[in-house]
Amino acid sequence: MQSLHNRLQIVESQIAQIFAGGFRVPTALASVSSDNFPFLHNDRTILAVGSSGSSVTISLDDVAALWLEHLDFPRSCPVEVNASYAPTSSLPPPPVRLEPCPTDLAVHDEPAFTVMIPPFNIYYPTSTSQAAVTPPLVALLPSASNTRSRITAAIEETMKMRPCFNMRVFRARAENMFAWAKDEDGRSAAGANASNSNPKADLARSIFFPTSCSLPQVAPAPRPTPTLSFFAFVSAAYALGVLICKENETASNVDVQKASTGPKNPRLEDNRTVHSQKAATWNKFSASGLFALSRQSMAAFELAHTYDLDSVVTYLMQILYLLHDSRPRVAHIIYPLLGKVINIAHMMGLSTDPDEFPGKYNLFEAEQRRRVWWDIYYYDV
């Protein structure tokens, strides 16, 4: 890979000279020695080693010729220019962008991801010293039920090819987490009202409105507290869902714009207005912010908790989000993140089939462990 990188640098420098000074590469480059190249180069050869241990040495001249034959040079370049040609202008050559600039890419209109990152003390409620899920933390996620339904539908459509978790169970657990946060807020509000109550009013209420004859009220059973790893899982999944919903709305807007180029139709005008309103609705959700929230949650989780299956699936969803970020190249963070997931999976024993441990896992847990492991195997390959 390093040798290939060196050769690509040679080709890039050649392109820079072509665009800067009009230098024309001779067509019979294969017969020219590397010492006669009019640019700086490294004349080391490529060494390719096969699985059997045999090696094949390829000269630099052949590699450069193969690359330069497939370059589409602009027609404004002269047909043949001497190799000793130097540009007459004293101005420095214009820089050549060798990689796509992020500003040239189509970025969705959304709030800055820093808006979604809360202070770190939000993970530490007053009743415990370990990081945990709190109602203000859940409030950072999309709150409207119809919005969550659309996001979940987009996730389900995407995960059909990668079924590493059960969507029905995920949807039920996510809704329970939002219900738990709502109950906790109501309990906190009730506690605040009880602390501000008037003792005389309570005495008069007990005298004039006795409750001895009424049936005792049974308090509802408290919902289980969601784990921080599952919150990070939901954040990463929602980041992917928001990203897909925005891409679908963008594609719909393009179709509407193409249809509007023809004769005017009142029905098309109404559709165009509806699609614009939908796109404006999704602009207030930040996919990158939800992804950053998921990463921050996992950082807090790793400080005080051991890894579980939700944490592994969270990392897989983060990798899947990075592969859908609409960029022309793979994000560099994917490689160390995938290596981390592989090591965690080996540490948790996911590489061993659950049937080797009879009675330890139920049918659902065994199947989920298998799916998570083979999903990790897929990304590793």
Side-chain angles (χ1 to χ4, degrees):
M1 292 300 296
Q2 184 63 33
S3 300
L4 180 60
H5 178 68
N6 294 339
R7 272 62 187 182
L8 289 177
Q9 285 184 338
I10 296 173
V11 176
E12 290 169 353
S13 63
Q14 179 68 68
I15 297 175
Q17 289 198 8
I18 290 173
F19 283 95
F23 174 78
R24 181 66 177 176
V25 180
T27 56
L29 185 61
S31 60
V32 180
S33 174
S34 61
D35 296 335
N36 298 327
F37 284 171
F39 51 85
L40 298 177
H41 63 279
N42 187 350
D43 57 354
R44 290 185 301 169
T45 56
I46 296 179
L47 185 64
V49 181
S51 58
S52 61
S54 61
S55 60
V56 179
T57 302
I58 307 175
S59 64
L60 172 64
D61 301 338
D62 297 337
V63 175
L66 291 174
W67 276 99
L68 294 175
E69 282 179 1
H70 292 81
L71 291 179
D72 187 12
F73 295 136
R75 297 184 179 181
S76 58
C77 294
V79 177
E80 192 71 31
V81 182
N82 190 2
S84 61
Y85 171 79
T88 56
S89 175
S90 60
L91 297 176
V96 178
R97 285 182 297 179
L98 304 180
E99 295 180 353
C101 182
T103 57
D104 297 338
L105 304 176
V107 181
H108 301 292
D109 296 331
E110 60 179 19
F113 74 93
T114 53
V115 179
M116 295 288 298
I117 301 179
F120 214 72
N121 57 4
I122 197 175
Y123 296 93
Y124 295 91
T126 56
S127 60
T128 178
S129 60
Q130 288 188 351
V133 181
T134 57
L137 195 60
V138 180
L140 297 175
L141 300 175
S143 57
S145 59
N146 56 345
T147 303
R148 295 201 303 267
S149 299
R150 293 189 60 184
I151 293 175
T152 307
I155 299 171
E156 184 175 6
E157 186 66 24
T158 305
M159 298 304 296
K160 285 182 178 179
M161 298 300 296
R162 306 170 185 87
C164 62
F165 61 92
N166 187 282
M167 281 300 306
R168 183 177 59 84
V169 175
F170 168 77
R171 187 183 293 107
R173 292 180 65 188
E175 293 301 325
N176 285 334
M177 182 179 67
F178 285 101
W180 169 86
K182 187 177 180 179
D183 294 344
E184 289 294 321
D185 287 335
R187 190 176 295 108
S188 300
N193 294 335
S195 61
N196 298 329
S197 62
N198 191 346
K200 293 182 179 181
D202 293 340
L203 178 60
R205 191 177 296 108
S206 63
I207 294 174
F208 292 100
F209 304 99
T211 57
S212 58
C213 298
S214 61
L215 296 176
Q217 296 181 356
V218 179
R223 299 178 184 271
T225 304
T227 60
L228 193 57
S229 58
F230 179 71
F231 173 80
F233 174 23
V234 175
S235 301
Y238 278 13
L240 178 62
V242 169
L243 187 64
I244 295 172
C245 289
K246 288 186 176 184
E247 291 177 353
N248 294 339
E249 294 298 336
T250 303
S252 300
N253 289 338
V254 172
D255 295 338
V256 171
Q257 290 177 0
K258 289 181 180 180
S260 62
T261 56
K264 291 186 176 181
N265 189 341
R267 184 177 299 177
L268 292 178
E269 293 295 332
D270 295 340
N271 292 339
R272 186 176 183 180
T273 304
V274 171
H275 284 293
S276 300
Q277 294 175 354
K278 290 181 179 180
T281 302
W282 286 107
N283 288 342
K284 63 182 180 181
F285 299 107
S286 174
S288 57
L290 292 170
F291 174 74
L293 182 62
S294 175
R295 295 198 62 193
Q296 186 190 41
S297 303
M298 285 306 301
F301 171 82
E302 291 175 338
L303 292 176
H305 302 277
T306 57
Y307 292 107
D308 54 5
L309 210 56
D310 287 335
S311 60
V312 177
V313 180
T314 300
Y315 288 130
L316 291 178
M317 295 303 298
Q318 291 178 1
I319 292 174
L320 192 57
Y321 170 83
L322 292 172
L323 293 175
H324 283 74
D325 61 352
S326 302
R327 296 190 180 275
R329 58 180 180 179
V330 178
H332 294 170
I333 192 178
I334 288 182
Y335 302 107
L337 185 59
L338 180 58
K340 181 178 182 179
V341 174
I342 295 172
N343 291 329
I344 294 174
H346 280 290
M347 181 183 64
M348 294 177 58
L350 296 180
S351 57
T352 305
D353 193 89
D355 290 342
E356 299 292 334
F357 307 97
K360 187 175 182 179
Y361 306 105
N362 57 33
L363 184 61
F364 180 81
E365 292 174 347
E367 181 63 22
Q368 189 172 8
R369 290 174 66 91
R370 291 190 188 97
R371 294 193 177 197
V372 169
W373 168 251
W374 285 113
D375 208 21
I376 295 173
Y377 188 89
Y378 164 78
Y379 284 115
D380 187 24
V381 172

